Amino acid sequence: MNGAAADGAAPVPYTLADYATLARAGMDPAVWDFCAGGAGDERTLAANVEAYDRVRFRPRVLTGMGQPDTTTRILGRSWAAPVGIAPLSYHTLADPAGEVATAGAAGRAGLPLVVSTFAGRTFEDIARAATAPLWLQVYCFRDRDTTRALVQRAERAGFEALVLTADTPRLGRRLRNMRNGFRLPEGIVPANLTGDGFASPADHALAEFDAALDWTVIAWLRSISSLPVLVKGIMTPADARQAVASGAAGIVVSNHGGRQLDGVPATLDVLPEIADALQGACPVLVDGGVRRGSDVLAALALGADAVLVGRPVLHGLAVGGGAGVERVLGTVVEELAETMTFTGTAAVDRAEPPLVGGPEPAGQLPQPPPNRTAVPGLRKEELHGSVRDPVLDTMNFLNEVTHRYPDAVSFAPGRPYDGFFDTEDVFTHLRRYLDHLAAEGATPEQVRSAIFQYGPTAGQIRELVADSLRKDEGIDVPPASVVVTVGCQEAMFLAVRALISGPDDVLLVSSPCYVGITGAARLLDVEVCAVEESEKGFDCADLEAALLAERAAGRRPRAFYVIPDHSNPSGTTMPLPARRELLDLAERHDILILEDSPYRMVSPGEQLPTLKSLDRARRVVHLGSYSKTLFPGTRVGFVVADQPVTDDAGNTGLLADELARIKSMLTVNTSPVSQAVTAGMLLSVDGRTSELNTRTAAYYGDAMRVTLRELERCFPEDERSALGISWNEPGGGFFLSVTVPFRADNAALERSAEEFGVIWTPMSYFYPRGGGETSMRLSVSYLSHAQIADGVERLAGFVRSALRTEHLDTEPRVLSP
């Protein structure tokens, strides 16, 4: 082996093979066979290694690329390299510190660790040692409560994802263990399973694993946890597509289940067709046979986003404890970077199939430069990952359905009712503002400039906005703390961009959540932590638990986004005690609250005070919009950011100043014409938008009552109870949520539109980490009362049809007409 030392000293390991040799020499033969044999049939492991041995790279010269970039981003988290540690049971067989030592080493290397269900150390101990992402490898037991307890325990400890091992219930016939009669040594037990009474993982699998699993297990896992689910054991394009369709956030190409089939292909051999089938729909990881850094680049070139390294990590742990693991990971990354240099691969996301192709045809001449006058072709995978994000696809799908069925009654758009708008009013409001400027002493040239020129980045109507907030909402802030934005969407974008400064910063959101904030976070590559609401709405205890979990995982929670009044999509409203508790929590945990509350002025009755009006410690950044209270065509919003910001020289300004700096590079300024029309409307009521919305609030309140009345008429109480249909009853706003006993997904929506002429929005669109699969959002704002009655009637017809299609009516019932 390499690195033999003089004077009888232990040899120095230089390659992963060296670590294997040293580990084997120091282990009991039976233990070595258990650790080195791989899960399942030994031929499978050999085939995986041999597939990488067949790879031949094409070297490139004079590339001028400099130091290659090995960093990557998976599920919103940055990795130092596209390498993670595969799930391996009982690290304590290699070293008493076990997974604790491995987690510490992974953190120092900046690489994630997938912890086995059969770990030898507790999740809590492992999490305390970890500073890089932890994922939990999940076996689904027949006793679902056991699996639920494991998953929720890991989530509380700060784990970030679940990796469902799908190629069970059999782990395969581990022939080495059978020949050795291997049993786990005394004291080596699954630390996170108590009272199991089994001596080996295989025994446990045969006795306790659920042999009747189907694809619905993904939805079940997502229902008991907010963590994304990856499916491990994918070996065909069909299964890969089904995993994504079932809600998986990623897949692991792996044949470690040891299926007892002759000729099981190597993972590297099936990887290209699987990656091609998914077309970037989710991260693709590959597991099995990686023994060199060059193997990593080969997998990336053939379609993987990252690889998982298994047995070499145990070898390093056995040879040198946590330091040995760190050296193994360092060796892999160093070899990866070296191979990238020799192949001219500047970054890991530029690894493509030609890297590992055969030799170029003899005598092939260089191609001439492309015709620059032709339309250039772009590869979608070369664009920002947000263009492939499911959130963008789902909203596009909803728009497509709406345009395809123009005669359908649509409960989808959350926009104001058209009947309140008069075209001539725009000119009246514009003239009122121009007259106001003149009355304030502006010269004709200044009035002209206020309309035709760019205007100040932070906005030219900040004084009027601040005055309106004081009169309408009791929010008393100086105009300098206000930035006028292009709708509330820009306000969200500016706030998130300013507050999230590094890869470990986290934005927390109440879930279900308005897609505008999660979309902005995705465009900015910002990590989002979803804080699940119960049926009763937001609970501060859930937020505090999420904050503690994020910090335990080495991340820094920065802000929490919430719609406290008549929220979009669920329609819930936060009670006053919860508002005060939230402000106390924000101060105690040193985070900011992003308050978005566009539905207050258009809801009937007296409204609870805003978070910002209750804020005494400047913990609330208030995001606002005139789209609902005035009209959406102005595209005028605002952000109130009165938090002090101090620079290195000790100079102090406002967060609003920093947002204006960002805005200057984003939209330059908000349209002066739109600001003028908005200002004219505010001037018409002396800043009190509540007066402008007396009639609209009454209309929307009536629309909500009509919708609830029609739902009760079409689904009488005894029937809806028997069918499992329910809905909430918001006191205002535009939205309510209906729960049904079947999947209310895109396929159901299309059938609803085509066959019954009614459109709604799947609630699953609004869950950043999965959920809401059996609920639909209804928007009541855009329809007349007659259309609402007709639409609910059509919806009832669709729901009953869907129940029959899904065979959910298990006994005869008399359905109301």
Side-chain angles (χ1 to χ4, degrees), residues 469 473-475 477 488 491-492 495-496 499 507-510 514 517 559-566 573-576 579-580 582-583 586 591-600 607-615 619-625 638-643:
L469 286 171
E473 300 285 20
I475 297 175
V477 293
C488 192
M492 295 178 199
V496 172
L499 296 175
L507 171 68
L508 298 101
V509 300
S510 188
Y514 173 53
I517 190 70
F560 173 60
Y561 170 88
V562 66
I563 301 178
D565 301 286
H566 318 297
T573 293
M574 186 185 298
L576 182 58
R579 297 175 190 234
R580 298 189 188 280
L582 176 58
L583 290 169
I591 65 167
L592 293 178
I593 301 168
L594 303 184
E595 178 187 29
D596 182 9
S597 204
Y599 306 103
R600 295 168 51 79
Q607 301 299 309
L608 293 172
T610 64
L611 291 168
K612 188 61 183 174
S613 67
L614 298 171
D615 181 22
R619 288 289 165 182
V620 178
V621 176
H622 186 78
L623 311 172
S625 169
F638 55 88
V639 54
V640 177
D642 60 345
Q643 291 71 26

Side-chain angles (χ1 to χ4, degrees), residues 635-805:
R635 298 305 300 131
V636 173
F638 55 88
V639 54
V640 177
D642 60 345
Q643 291 71 26
V645 176
T646 304
D647 63 20
D648 291 339
N651 302 311
T652 300
L654 293 176
L655 178 59
D657 300 330
E658 311 308 321
L659 302 185
R661 287 189 177 91
I662 300 171
K663 178 179 171 63
S664 70
M665 292 292 111
L666 185 64
T667 58
V668 182
N669 73 324
T670 303
S671 163
V673 175
S674 292
Q675 290 188 71
V677 174
T678 299
M681 296 186 76
L682 294 177
L683 289 167
S684 72
V685 288
D686 191 27
R688 293 174 171 85
T689 61
S690 53
E691 293 184 11
L692 282 173
N693 286 281
T694 301
R695 188 162 62 104
T696 55
Y699 181 89
Y700 296 133
D702 287 343
M704 182 66 74
R705 284 188 288 272
V706 168
T707 304
L708 294 172
R709 183 191 69 204
E710 291 300 315
L711 285 170
E712 290 178 356
R713 181 182 67 82
C714 292
F715 296 105
E717 185 174 358
D718 57 343
E719 179 192 351
R720 65 176 180 263
S721 177
L723 295 178
I725 299 169
S726 63
W727 54 83
N728 62 342
E729 299 184 8
F734 287 6
F735 311 105
L736 74 154
S737 173
V738 178
T739 300
V740 293
F742 56 84
R743 289 185 68 86
D745 55 13
N746 283 355
L749 170 58
E750 186 151 19
R751 180 168 174 251
S752 175
E754 180 177 4
E755 298 181 19
F756 294 88
V758 61
I759 297 172
W760 37 269
T761 307
M763 279 287 285
S764 58
Y765 289 6
F766 304 95
Y767 284 79
R769 292 293 180 262
E773 288 84 0
T774 60
S775 296
M776 53 183 71
R777 187 194 76 171
L778 302 186
S779 173
V780 305
S781 62
Y782 188 65
L783 302 175
S784 68
H785 294 176
Q787 289 172 320
I788 290 173
D790 181 27
V792 173
E793 189 80 41
R794 298 183 187 198
L795 181 68
F798 162 69
V799 169
R800 292 190 177 91
S801 174
L803 287 169
R804 288 190 290 270
T805 301

Side-chain angles (χ1 to χ4, degrees), residues 488-610:
C488 192
Q489 191 64 36
E490 187 188 24
M492 295 178 199
F493 194 95
L494 297 177
V496 172
R497 177 64 294 159
L499 296 175
I500 306 297
S501 61
D504 292 326
D505 288 350
V506 177
L507 171 68
L508 298 101
V509 300
S510 188
S511 179
C513 179
Y514 173 53
V515 295
I517 190 70
T518 51
R522 180 65 184 92
L523 290 173
L524 294 168
D525 290 320
V526 166
E527 178 74 7
V528 170
C529 171
V531 182
E532 299 295 331
E533 290 187 356
S534 68
E535 291 184 1
K536 296 181 180 179
F538 168 75
D539 189 327
C540 279
D542 296 330
L543 174 59
E544 186 160 31
L547 289 168
L548 294 173
E550 290 297 315
R551 289 206 172 98
R555 294 185 291 276
R556 185 173 69 146
R558 295 286 286 148
F560 173 60
Y561 170 88
V562 66
I563 301 178
D565 301 286
H566 318 297
S567 70
N568 180 5
S570 63
T572 59
T573 293
M574 186 185 298
L576 182 58
R579 297 175 190 234
R580 298 189 188 280
E581 185 181 358
L582 176 58
L583 290 169
D584 290 341
L585 185 149
E587 187 169 4
R588 191 166 66 252
H589 285 276
D590 191 23
I591 65 167
L592 293 178
I593 301 168
L594 303 184
E595 178 187 29
D596 182 9
S597 204
Y599 306 103
R600 295 168 51 79
M601 292 295 112
V602 292
S603 296
E606 185 176 352
Q607 301 299 309
L608 293 172
T610 64

Side-chain angles (χ1 to χ4, degrees), residues 58-299:
R58 288 179 172 178
R60 299 294 303 275
V61 297
L62 299 177
T63 60
M65 69 178 205
Q67 183 68 24
D69 181 7
T70 63
T71 60
T72 191
R73 195 169 179 85
I74 303 290
L75 296 183
R77 290 281 271 142
S78 294
W79 299 7
V83 177
I85 299 177
L88 301 162
S89 58
Y90 305 113
H91 289 212
T92 42
L93 286 169
D95 183 89
E99 290 83 2
V100 169
T102 306
R108 292 188 293 275
L111 303 176
L113 165 63
V114 186
V115 178
S116 169
T117 290
F118 297 101
R121 296 296 298 270
T122 67
F123 296 155
E124 293 77 10
D125 286 345
I126 299 169
R128 277 191 288 271
T131 55
L134 293 177
W135 295 357
L136 174 65
Q137 176 252 2
V138 179
Y139 291 113
C140 200
F141 298 100
R142 274 203 295 259
D143 179 5
R144 288 289 178 94
D145 286 341
T146 298
T147 306
R148 183 196 307 269
L150 279 170
V151 167
Q152 294 178 346
R153 181 177 172 184
E155 184 170 11
R156 286 194 301 270
F159 284 51
E160 300 181 19
L162 305 176
V163 181
L164 172 67
T165 296
D167 49 357
T168 51
R170 294 191 63 89
L171 291 181
R173 301 173 68 240
R174 298 176 64 134
L175 299 180
R176 298 186 186 191
N177 301 340
M178 296 167 67
R179 297 186 189 110
N180 294 331
F182 176 76
R183 310 288 285 182
L184 287 173
E186 188 71 26
I188 302 295
V189 296
N192 300 286
L193 293 169
T194 58
D196 55 273
F198 295 94
S200 75
D203 291 340
H204 209 305
L206 293 173
E208 295 295 337
F209 287 180
D210 187 349
L213 286 182
D214 59 23
W215 290 103
T216 61
V217 69
I218 299 174
W220 179 76
L221 286 171
R222 292 173 63 188
S223 74
I224 65 171
S225 165
S226 64
L227 301 182
V229 179
L230 296 89
V231 180
K232 181 176 183 290
I234 300 297
M235 287 292 287
T236 67
D239 277 354
R241 286 191 291 263
Q242 183 61 57
V244 173
S246 300
I251 67 164
V252 182
V253 179
S254 170
N255 52 14
H256 282 191
R259 302 174 180 85
Q260 299 305 297
L261 299 171
D262 290 333
V264 173
T267 52
L268 197 66
D269 292 336
V270 300
L271 174 61
E273 59 180 339
I274 291 174
D276 184 62
L278 292 183
Q279 291 291 304
C282 71
V284 176
L285 285 71
V286 64
D287 180 20
V290 173
R291 296 297 182 266
R292 299 176 296 262
S294 58
D295 296 345
V296 179
L297 188 59

